[in-house]
Amino acid sequence: MENEVVSKNFIEQIIDKDLEEGTYETVMTRFPPEPNGYLHIGHAKSILLNYGLAKKYNGTFNLRFDDTNPTKEKTEFVQSILEDVEWLIGDIKDNLYYASNYFEQMYEYAVKLIKKGKAYVCHLTPEEIREYRGTLTEPGKNSPYRERSVEENLELFEKMKNGEFEDGACVLRAKIDMSSPNINMRDPIIYRVARMHHHNTGDKWCIYPMYDFAHPIEDAIEGITHSICTLEFEDHRPLYNWVVEECEFVHPPKQIEFAKLYLQNVITGKRYIKRLVEDGIVDGWDDPRLVTLSALRRRGFTRESLAMFMELVGVSKANSAVDYAMLEYCIREDLKMKKPRLMAVLDPIKVVITNYPEGQVEYMEASNNPENEEMGTRKVPFCRELYIDRDDFKIEPPKKYFRLYPGNEVRFMNAYFVTCQDYITDETGKVVEIHCTYDPETRSGSGFTGRKVKGTIHWVPAPYAVEAEVRLYENIIDEEKGVYNEDGSLNLNPDSLTVLKKCYLEPEFKEAKKGDSFQFVRQGYFCVDTKDTTEDHLVFNRIVSMKSSYKPN
């Protein structure tokens, strides 16, 4: 038997080569979020990729908060990120780190660079620094403070640390090459003066390291072998390498870039999501119309469905956009064999079976999941008064309409053949009640073969029904117009949320708990809302409809 060929992505090929050549003895990866907002589905790709690589190579995975910019960071965001990561991959507390815990070491490495003549304190204003930096086609020019002595720079940097300069008065810059074709290498700022309260270190520091300086040091201190990031950091890689080389780390990490996840017609930008939250357009960062991980979790998406989605998307070096329908396909695939299929009527209309004995109740056997017999069956009460969905009845049906209309016979799912005899309307002409008769010989499972009907509809027993609120979600973006208007504002879909107040569900739903998910027969998959559901008010979020426009390869 021939050996099976295992296809590996380009990152795995790099890791294999590094291990084979002895560059590294093990594999250590990390996910380094800045706690300035909630994680979204793009972050899930990075988490699952880095965690998956560590697991595949029997290595280590760290979660590290890149908390070097306290102006935008909050404890709320730290907590939400912890919850999201642990939801995706499990307990991470033994491998949890904070960049701010390395501030002392970062300061010492900055001092080391000054002593090596590789960093200097600069008093140019931010505007002057931009002017001196040059352009993509013109080299920059040296700062007049570039040739300060080591002793002077050490003294000035110490004063920066001690709070003897006003915010923005000066910065510490790396001394690299102002004529470099890569603008990131033109003496980048590595420390700035900023009197800001930090969520972890309080008011201990009034200087903070810049990301491009701090990040490679954090990786190196932790022993990260492969620093995997998205493509926008590709131009920053020479600076990453410069920092770990000049700081003289014995086993420096290697930065590798991969393509971000772009989902069509969704909002992932933190500033846009923040605006939606602050303007009250959505119900917080976890509004089920968003693709933050907390929103996806609240809506009813599973970690397994996200893992399946990321597997389908794959890992590449080229940016591309993915259809949201692929994500919907993954959640349908994950839930279809796991979840019970119960009857729910979202737009109810009452049916009275006039020849059914008053007060009589029968219990009909129904499969919990026809595709998974191991889930067993349940008993559903059938009686004289029922609810059906309004869409399942027409006074004047269109062609090929096989549901209920005057004179037509259909099967009530798991029950009897029923024929519409009459209906009652209100003063506006809206149908409020349907009168039917049933054939007692046609009970489901009885083996009746006398005749066939083309339509089968679901129903709920009126006296035993569970009342619920159901929320139907559509894309928050108007897909026909695209994400943004010409002025940069968002093209919001006014119909992104429909709230149905009086829906009726079969009695099995009495046992539903927050976070439980089900298939509503013929409707889609729904999840009990974890935020607004109370003991006397059941709220369901639609996860995804039954219809799919995505076709897997």
Side-chain angles (χ1 to χ4, degrees):
M1 182 176 177
E2 295 184 5
N3 291 330
E4 182 182 357
V5 177
V6 178
S7 176
K8 295 193 174 184
N9 63 51
F10 77 96
I11 296 177
E12 292 169 335
Q13 292 171 8
I14 292 172
I15 292 175
D16 285 346
K17 186 170 183 290
D18 286 342
L19 293 175
E20 185 179 329
E21 294 178 351
T23 305
Y24 305 107
E25 294 182 357
T26 186
V27 171
M28 195 166 186
T29 61
R30 83 290 173 268
F31 174 63
E34 184 180 354
N36 61 359
Y38 281 58
L39 301 182
H40 58 67
I41 191 167
H43 296 111
K45 180 177 181 180
S46 182
I47 295 166
L48 292 170
L49 172 60
N50 279 282
Y51 176 74
L53 289 169
K55 192 173 181 181
K56 180 172 185 175
Y57 289 94
N58 295 316
T60 306
F61 169 82
N62 288 351
L63 170 64
R64 180 211 312 138
F65 285 100
D66 225 326
D67 55 347
T68 58
N69 183 15
T71 54
K72 299 179 180 179
E73 297 164 359
K74 294 181 181 179
T75 304
E76 171 195 354
F77 298 143
V78 171
Q79 188 58 41
S80 73
I81 291 170
L82 275 172
E83 290 174 3
D84 289 341
V85 173
E86 294 198 338
W87 173 62
L88 274 179
I89 63 172
D91 186 16
I92 195 67
K93 290 182 178 61
D94 290 340
N95 296 89
L96 175 61
Y97 299 90
Y98 292 85
S100 53
N101 289 340
Y102 309 140
F103 279 166
E104 197 70 50
Q105 290 159 283
M106 291 177 194
Y107 177 79
E108 293 301 327
Y109 281 115
V111 169
K112 183 184 184 79
L113 292 181
I114 293 173
K115 289 179 177 179
K116 291 176 67 174
K118 297 291 185 177
Y120 63 97
V121 175
C122 180
H123 279 80
L124 289 178
T125 66
E127 294 76 17
E128 289 171 332
I129 289 176
R130 281 193 292 271
E131 181 185 338
Y132 274 58
R133 185 175 289 129
T135 67
L136 291 172
T137 56
E138 297 178 351
K141 57 182 180 179
N142 290 345
S143 164
Y145 307 101
R146 197 174 196 267
E147 300 308 322
R148 279 173 161 159
S149 67
V150 169
E151 291 74 22
E152 185 180 5
N153 282 316
L154 288 172
E155 181 182 347
L156 289 170
F157 191 47
E158 178 78 10
K159 288 182 176 181
M160 285 174 62
K161 181 175 79 80
N162 294 338
E164 297 180 36
F165 291 110
E166 294 296 319
D167 289 10
C170 56
V171 294
L172 183 70
R173 298 175 67 177
K175 187 189 287 189
I176 307 179
D177 182 4
M178 289 302 294
S179 63
S180 171
N182 186 333
I183 291 180
N184 295 300
M185 301 296 281
R186 295 180 187 176
D187 289 12
I189 298 169
I190 58 177
Y191 261 95
R192 83 278 198 201
V193 179
R195 288 167 176 79
M196 298 178 288
H197 183 79
H198 193 283
H199 74 94
N200 187 26
T201 59
D203 298 316
K204 179 180 179 181
W205 295 90
C206 65
I207 57 171
Y208 290 96
M210 302 300 287
Y211 176 87
D212 279 340
F213 176 70
H215 190 78
I217 292 176
E218 297 157 21
D219 284 344
I221 289 173
E222 290 176 15
I224 301 302
T225 57
H226 298 87
S227 179
I228 299 165
C229 55
T230 46
L231 281 177
E232 70 263 34
F233 291 100
E234 189 170 23
D235 290 341
H236 296 248
R237 194 197 318 150
L239 179 54
Y240 183 101
N241 292 339
W242 184 90
V243 170
V244 293
E245 180 180 333
E246 293 297 340
C247 289
E248 300 176 15
F249 287 103
V250 178
H251 299 291
K254 176 181 290 188
Q255 178 175 305
I256 306 171
E257 307 86 19
F258 71 99
K260 264 185 175 181
L261 171 62
Y262 289 99
L263 261 184
Q264 292 177 345
N265 293 314
V266 301
I267 303 170
T268 54
K270 289 178 183 176
R271 66 189 179 101
Y272 288 110
I273 297 176
K274 185 180 179 184
R275 189 193 308 171
L276 292 174
V277 172
E278 292 178 346
D279 292 349
I281 296 170
V282 297
D283 176 29
W285 288 83
D286 62 350
D287 187 292
R289 289 168 289 179
L290 301 175
V291 290
T292 59
L293 295 186
S294 57
L296 290 168
R297 185 163 68 251
R298 181 180 170 192
R299 184 159 173 175
F301 279 82
T302 62
R303 70 190 78 184
E304 293 84 1
S305 66
L306 293 188
M308 185 191 309
F309 176 63
M310 299 309 167
E311 190 71 26
L312 287 175
V313 170
V315 179
S316 72
K317 287 283 283 186
N319 285 323
S320 60
V322 179
D323 192 339
Y324 187 82
M326 183 191 288
L327 178 60
E328 293 181 320
Y329 164 81
C330 292
I331 187 63
R332 288 190 193 95
E333 284 297 298
D334 184 52
L335 296 181
K336 71 178 183 180
M337 300 294 286
K338 296 178 179 179
K339 300 301 177 180
R341 301 180 184 182
L342 309 181
M343 295 186 289
V345 174
L346 306 189
D347 187 8
I349 184 170
K350 182 174 280 190
V351 172
V352 178
I353 303 178
T354 56
N355 65 332
Y356 195 87
E358 289 194 40
Q360 180 172 309
V361 181
E362 294 178 82
Y363 287 86
M364 303 300 180
E365 187 169 32
S367 171
N368 287 329
N369 188 327
E371 293 186 65
N372 184 357
E373 292 183 0
E374 292 182 3
M375 294 187 68
T377 61
R378 68 189 185 284
K379 299 289 187 180
V380 184
F382 182 88
C383 54
R384 181 183 173 90
E385 294 187 356
L386 314 165
Y387 291 116
I388 66 169
D389 259 307
R390 190 167 294 277
D391 279 349
D392 286 334
F393 176 78
K394 299 288 184 188
I395 297 174
E396 297 179 359
K399 288 184 178 180
K400 296 186 178 180
Y401 184 83
F402 300 123
R403 285 168 276 175
L404 202 59
Y405 56 87
N408 191 45
E409 186 176 48
V410 299
R411 174 176 287 284
F412 274 24
M413 189 175 289
N414 305 307
Y416 293 102
F417 285 12
V418 173
T419 303
C420 174
Q421 305 294 347
D422 198 3
Y423 58 90
I424 299 173
T425 61
D426 62 15
E427 63 276 6
T428 67
K430 180 180 180 180
V431 177
V432 294
E433 192 168 286
I434 304 168
H435 290 178
C436 298
T437 56
Y438 85 115
D439 182 348
E441 301 296 322
T442 60
R443 178 169 172 149
S444 181
S446 66
F448 174 79
T449 58
R451 61 189 181 279
K452 293 183 178 180
V453 291
K454 291 186 176 180
T456 299
I457 63 176
H458 65 283
W459 50 275
V460 170
Y464 306 94
V466 175
E467 187 176 320
E469 177 182 315
V470 174
R471 298 169 180 176
L472 307 180
Y473 296 100
E474 301 291 344
N475 199 323
I476 197 168
I477 290 296
D478 188 327
E479 297 183 33
E480 292 185 2
K481 296 180 181 178
V483 178
Y484 306 111
N485 292 308
E486 290 183 2
D487 63 359
S489 61
L490 294 167
N491 274 320
L492 297 177
N493 173 13
D495 301 316
S496 62
L497 170 62
T498 301
V499 179
L500 306 176
K501 288 290 188 181
K502 279 188 172 291
C503 303
Y504 292 111
L505 289 56
E506 64 170 273
E508 191 79 8
F509 282 100
K510 286 180 180 177
E511 305 302 320
K513 302 290 189 299
K514 289 183 177 184
D516 288 351
S517 52
F518 309 85
Q519 185 191 118
F520 289 4
V521 172
R522 301 171 61 216
Q523 304 274 7
Y525 291 94
F526 292 76
C527 173
V528 181
D529 187 69
T530 54
K531 192 172 185 178
D532 296 331
T533 293
T534 63
E535 286 187 10
D536 55 359
H537 183 58
L538 196 56
V539 179
F540 280 88
N541 300 322
R542 182 169 66 186
I543 307 169
V544 65
S545 65
M546 297 299 295
K547 296 178 182 178
S548 175
S549 60
Y550 172 74
K551 302 296 182 185
N553 294 329

